[in-house]
Amino acid sequence: QVQLVESGGGLAQTGGSLRLSCAASERTFSSYTMGWFRQAPGKEREFVAAISRNGGDTNYADSVKGRFTVSRDNAKNTVYLQMNSLKPEDTAVYYCAASRRLYVGTTWRTGDYGSWGQGIQVTVSS
């Protein structure tokens, strides 16, 4: 399993921006499809975004499409989530995850991912 550590969370105002980073320990980072999930209090963990191994393909949940952008830098073993136009309903603990699956369009279930970060809090105030 690959070890993942998220950073960059915190407090933002409605309409503001935050950028999450997720650093991986694995030297074969580029062999993983990477995903972002979030979990709000009392709710199930939900898919946010995913990016293919070479960064060429991405997939987003409808709720964040057009506002969030996932990217990766394989030289730095890091995946990012740029979050713009934040809304109070974006408040959640955000997790990055790594998957061995090849196709980002079908890699959106929690069970598709074998390694998870510890999560980081994002709070959007109204």
Side-chain angles (χ1 to χ4, degrees):
Q1 288 189 343
V2 59
Q3 292 185 333
L4 303 169
V5 179
E6 300 97 339
S7 61
L11 179 65
Q13 293 185 336
T14 296
S17 299
L18 284 173
R19 187 195 196 200
L20 303 183
S21 299
C22 173
S25 63
E26 182 63 50
R27 285 181 294 177
T28 59
F29 173 74
S30 61
S31 67
Y32 292 89
T33 293
M34 298 299 297
W36 287 96
F37 288 75
R38 67 186 182 186
Q39 188 167 16
K43 295 187 177 181
E44 293 187 354
R45 193 169 298 188
E46 65 175 5
F47 171 76
V48 174
I51 188 166
S52 62
R53 294 175 297 171
N54 66 0
D57 292 314
T58 56
N59 187 29
Y60 296 93
D62 287 343
S63 58
V64 306
K65 202 170 293 184
R67 300 188 298 121
F68 290 10
T69 302
V70 60
S71 61
R72 66 190 297 164
D73 185 340
N74 286 342
K76 296 182 178 180
N77 289 356
T78 302
V79 61
Y80 305 96
L81 185 68
Q82 178 67 44
M83 305 184 293
N84 298 329
S85 301
L86 284 164
K87 304 175 181 180
E89 51 263 44
D90 295 319
T91 295
V93 176
Y94 282 71
Y95 300 87
C96 70
S99 172
R100 287 290 194 182
R101 293 176 62 90
L102 296 178
Y103 301 110
V104 67
T106 58
T107 309
W108 54 270
R109 303 172 184 85
T110 56
D112 295 331
Y113 292 80
S115 299
W116 293 82
Q118 81 285 355
I120 193 162
Q121 180 70 45
V122 170
T123 302
V124 183
S125 63
S126 58

